[in-house]
């Protein structure tokens, strides 16, 4: 094992894998003072561990499939952006031409593609001026804090999540400066705050759900949601209720217990849920009390409403105002798309854009006298208010266009499959279909009514070698009787996937064949043309 001086107390006498050794030798946040130097000398001259590991503490991800062209992940607490912030992001994406694009993630934030290391210091300055940052947005850090995408405008909200997601974000990242207290976790940490009963967030490590106790509003606490190559399960109730001013202190207590005691050698076992299960929920609650103080029992926080669709034009809680939910196919946006969304948000609404965990966009503050002109805007030819039922619930990870872990080209395949199946079949309602390129499950496959996890399989009869394929899971439910999906079939070659899905949709989900193929006015056709061209100009690749 590498000799490590000045090792942090919680790492002493622990067996550390290679990644943990590198984290112990030099905290990822320490590369912040070196970013200007990195930009000047070029990525080829940067220390390999700094390049491939520690830059992630500043949201910059080395991509082996596109050497020299990085992915940059932003923090966007609660998924809320101003039109100005969106335009800043658009100008950064536009800088990289054919190699630039932007993805909405399943954590309500944005990932930029094609970024050059030489531009990173200037990009970070521009983001900071716009009130955005990338700090600790990747790897073994507290990730973007998520909340109700309709916070503050939701007719059904219990609490406005915006103050709490911002407070937690500031706490975990030291107000965007980088928090050394939480910069060496065993694995990633996901935090979420629910604002309404249908905000399904049980896949996070900690979730605060609003509920009153003796007439006082506070939060029930749930722990240990996990979607990974080792385990897929939803969070468990801690049977604890905290006042709003206690959420940061409780989060810090729980994260510190895991940081100090979690697995540091067997990396797949490093997730918080693995530690929680090894200790036991009851014993862990006792440990929390020993450090936090007595915990008040949860009076009954629940996640029992079916998640609402945000598509279409819907009334806000503010009289005379509306929000518009737009379908962004697989969450991918160009610089032009970002600029046009920013312009639409100003022209028709209040200049605010919301990102959702299913990779879509909500424009807010639309006045009633703007609705007709908004619905006639050419933007809606790209991003529909009423997508097809299969497309509407489709979520996808990055796939192997950029990610070296992914075994399949999820985004291209997902969008093509959704377009074709919506043309051929009529589904009674939106269906959650989650695509992920590898077992790490960034696309949250086991949350979907249908989940597709990328793998490799032998070519069908007559073919040679191994081909892209998918393991198929069924039964994921994000509403009442919440449960993760179960593996249904393994190794379906991509060439056979459509027929398998078509049969499933008819037999299990009430789909009916259309008497004639739908004449698709949905944005998919235009989007597919753009997407295909992007793929031709790009290098092939949670």
């Amino acid at each position: 094992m590498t000799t490590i001086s000045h090792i942090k107390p919680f790492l002493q006498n622990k067996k550390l894998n290679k990644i943990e050794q590198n984290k112990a030798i030099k905290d990822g946040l320490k590369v912040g003072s070196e970013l200007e130097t990195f930009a000047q000398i070029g990525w080829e001259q940067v220390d390999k561990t700094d390049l491939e590991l520690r830059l992630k503490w500043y949201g910059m991800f080395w991509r082996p499939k596109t050497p020299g062209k990085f992915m940059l992940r932003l923090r966007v607490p609660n998924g809320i952006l101003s039109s100005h912030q969106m335009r800043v992001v658009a100008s950064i994406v536009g800088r990289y031409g054919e190699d630039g694009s932007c993805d909405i993630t399943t954590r309500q934030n944005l990932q930029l593609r094609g970024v050059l290391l030489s531009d990173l210091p200037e990009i970070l300055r521009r983001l900071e001026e716009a009130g955005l940052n990338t700090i600790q947005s990747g790897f073994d850090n507290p990730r973007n804090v998520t909340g109700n995408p309709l916070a503050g405008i939701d007719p059904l909200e219990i609490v406005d999540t915006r103050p709490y997601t911002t407070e937690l974000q500031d706490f975990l990242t030291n107000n965007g400066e980088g928090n050394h207290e939480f910069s060496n976790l065993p694995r990633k940490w996901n935090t979420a705050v629910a604002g309404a009963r249908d905000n399904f967030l049980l896949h996070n490590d900690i979730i605060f759900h609003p509920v009153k106790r003796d007439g006082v509003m506070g939060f029930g606490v749930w722990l240990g949601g996990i979607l990974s190559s080792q385990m897929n399960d939803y969070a468990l109730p801690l049977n604890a209720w905290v006042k709003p001013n206690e959420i940061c202190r409780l989060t810090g207590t729980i994260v510190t217990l895991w940081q100090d005691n979690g697995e540091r050698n067997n990396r797949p076992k490093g997730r918080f849920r693995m530690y929680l299960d090894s200790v036991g929920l009851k014993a862990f609650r006792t440990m929390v009390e020993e450090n936090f103080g007595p915990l008040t029992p949860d009076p009954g926080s629940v996640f029992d409403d079916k998640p609402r669709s945000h598509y279409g034009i819907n009334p806000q809680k503010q009289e005379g105002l509306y929000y518009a939910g737009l379908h962004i196919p697989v969450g991918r946006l160009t610089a032009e798309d970002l600029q046009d969304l920013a312009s639409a948000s100003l022209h028709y609404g209040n200049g605010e854009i919301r990102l959702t965990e299913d990779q879509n966009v909500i424009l807010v503050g639309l006045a009633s006298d703007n609705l007709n002109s908004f619905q006639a805007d050419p933007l809606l030819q790209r991003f529909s208010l009423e997508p097809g039922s299969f497309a509407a619930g489709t979520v996808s990870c990055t796939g192997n266009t950029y990610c070296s872990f992914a075994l399949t080209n999820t985004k291209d395949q997902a969008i093509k499959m959704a377009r074709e199946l919506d043309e051929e079949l009529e589904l009674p309602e939106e269906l959650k279909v989650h695509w992920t390129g590898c077992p790490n499950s960034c696309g949250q496959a086991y949350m979907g009514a249908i989940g597709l996890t990328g793998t490799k399989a032998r070519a069908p009869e007559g073919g040679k070698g191994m081909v892209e394929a998918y393991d198929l899971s069924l039964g994921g439910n994000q509403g009442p009787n919440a449960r993760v999906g179960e593996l249904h079939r393994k190794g379906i070659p991509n060439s056979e996937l459509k027929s398998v899905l078509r049969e499933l949709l008819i037999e299990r989900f009430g789909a009916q064949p259309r008497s004639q193929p739908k004449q698709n006015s949905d944005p998919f056709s235009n989007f597919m043309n753009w997407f295909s061209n992007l793929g031709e100009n790009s290098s092939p690749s949670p």
Side-chain angles (χ1 to χ4, degrees), residues 226-425:
I226 181 171
L227 299 169
S228 75
S229 61
Q230 300 295 304
M231 180 182 185
N232 295 282
D233 201 4
Y234 289 144
L236 306 169
L238 183 61
N239 188 25
W241 178 88
V242 293
K243 295 177 181 177
N245 64 358
E246 297 175 319
I247 59 174
C248 288
R249 187 164 70 89
L250 181 67
T251 299
T253 298
I254 292 170
V255 173
T256 300
L257 282 169
W258 169 55
Q259 172 186 257
D260 292 357
N261 300 289
E263 174 64 38
R264 296 280 181 166
N265 186 44
N266 185 345
R267 188 161 175 80
K269 299 290 186 181
R271 293 289 298 276
F272 172 66
R273 177 57 178 269
M274 307 296 192
Y275 170 67
L276 184 64
D277 284 354
S278 70
V279 173
L281 185 62
K282 184 176 180 180
F284 185 74
R285 190 180 189 278
T286 299
M287 294 168 63
V288 173
E289 287 194 303
E290 290 171 353
N291 290 270
F292 178 83
L295 293 172
T296 303
D298 187 341
S301 59
V302 291
F303 299 80
D304 61 354
D305 282 4
K306 181 179 179 180
R308 284 166 285 171
S309 170
H310 298 131
Y311 294 122
I313 296 175
N314 305 276
Q316 296 182 184
K317 66 190 300 182
Q318 295 83 8
E319 186 175 354
L321 294 180
Y322 298 81
Y323 68 87
L326 304 181
H327 178 233
I328 311 297
V330 295
R332 180 147 291 174
L333 295 163
T334 65
E336 181 182 2
D337 294 332
L338 293 162
Q339 290 283 12
D340 289 347
L341 286 167
S343 296
S345 75
L346 277 172
H347 188 66
Y348 303 108
N350 68 358
E352 191 172 84
I353 299 103
R354 309 287 183 95
L355 310 177
T356 74
E357 284 197 314
D358 53 5
Q359 303 176 309
N360 293 307
V361 159
I362 297 171
L363 304 182
V364 304
L366 280 70
S368 56
D369 56 3
N370 279 338
L371 296 183
N372 287 338
S373 56
F374 172 68
Q375 291 178 85
D377 194 292
L379 179 70
L380 302 188
Q381 297 303 309
R382 272 179 280 163
F383 306 125
S384 176
L385 291 167
E386 298 179 355
S389 298
F390 195 91
T394 293
V395 172
S396 173
C397 76
T398 297
N400 65 10
T401 304
Y402 296 111
C403 178
S404 57
F405 293 108
L407 300 170
T408 54
N409 185 357
T410 52
K411 282 196 185 292
D412 282 302
Q413 292 161 3
I415 202 168
K416 181 175 185 292
M417 194 72 65
R419 176 175 59 85
E420 292 180 1
L421 288 173
D422 274 330
E423 286 176 353
E424 297 175 18
L425 299 175

Side-chain angles (χ1 to χ4, degrees), residues 45-268:
Q45 304 303 317
V46 176
D47 173 80
K48 181 178 173 63
T49 306
D50 286 343
L51 180 74
E52 298 182 8
L53 178 69
R54 298 187 186 102
L55 275 174
K56 295 175 183 177
W57 272 246
Y58 286 81
M60 194 73 156
F61 285 67
W62 162 257
R63 301 283 75 169
K65 306 209 79 170
T66 56
K69 298 173 183 176
F70 292 74
M71 182 266 280
L72 182 65
R73 180 181 293 151
L74 277 58
R75 297 195 79 101
V76 186
N78 214 120
I80 299 175
L81 292 159
S82 69
S83 58
H84 172 65
Q85 290 172 328
M86 186 73 100
R87 283 177 167 162
V88 170
V89 174
S91 67
I92 294 169
V93 172
R95 162 75 175 79
Y96 303 104
E98 294 176 348
D99 295 314
S101 65
C102 175
D103 292 337
I104 305 171
T105 79
T106 55
R107 292 210 64 77
Q108 293 182 294
N109 58 355
L110 296 173
Q111 296 182 165
L112 315 187
R113 301 284 174 186
V115 177
L116 305 180
L117 184 57
S118 57
D119 290 334
L120 181 59
E122 177 62 21
I123 289 172
L124 295 182
R125 282 192 286 270
R126 293 184 62 194
L127 291 173
E128 183 178 8
E129 290 172 358
L132 294 169
N133 68 72
T134 66
I135 198 74
Q136 291 178 271
S137 60
F139 217 65
D140 298 344
N141 284 288
R143 302 296 182 85
N144 195 53
V145 182
T146 60
N148 184 3
L150 301 178
I153 65 171
D154 187 355
L156 301 182
E157 77 179 353
I158 304 169
V159 296
D160 182 344
T161 59
R162 292 174 297 179
Y164 306 112
T165 53
T166 299
E167 183 182 6
L168 283 161
Q169 184 104 326
D170 290 344
F171 170 71
L172 291 167
T173 67
N174 185 29
N175 299 304
E177 296 296 321
N179 192 337
H180 288 276
E181 294 297 317
F182 305 124
S183 63
N184 190 347
L185 305 180
R187 293 294 299 273
K188 65 180 178 181
W189 173 268
N190 292 324
T191 308
V193 183
R197 291 169 67 107
D198 75 325
N199 290 165
F200 190 82
L201 297 165
L202 290 179
H203 51 290
N204 289 276
D205 293 292
I206 189 168
I207 311 99
F208 293 98
H209 195 282
V211 61
K212 286 184 178 180
R213 182 179 177 87
D214 300 328
V216 177
M217 183 61 71
F219 292 94
V221 183
W222 295 62
L223 297 177
I226 181 171
L227 299 169
S228 75
S229 61
Q230 300 295 304
M231 180 182 185
N232 295 282
D233 201 4
Y234 289 144
L236 306 169
L238 183 61
N239 188 25
W241 178 88
V242 293
K243 295 177 181 177
N245 64 358
E246 297 175 319
I247 59 174
C248 288
R249 187 164 70 89
L250 181 67
T251 299
T253 298
I254 292 170
V255 173
T256 300
L257 282 169
W258 169 55
Q259 172 186 257
D260 292 357
N261 300 289
E263 174 64 38
R264 296 280 181 166
N265 186 44
N266 185 345
R267 188 161 175 80

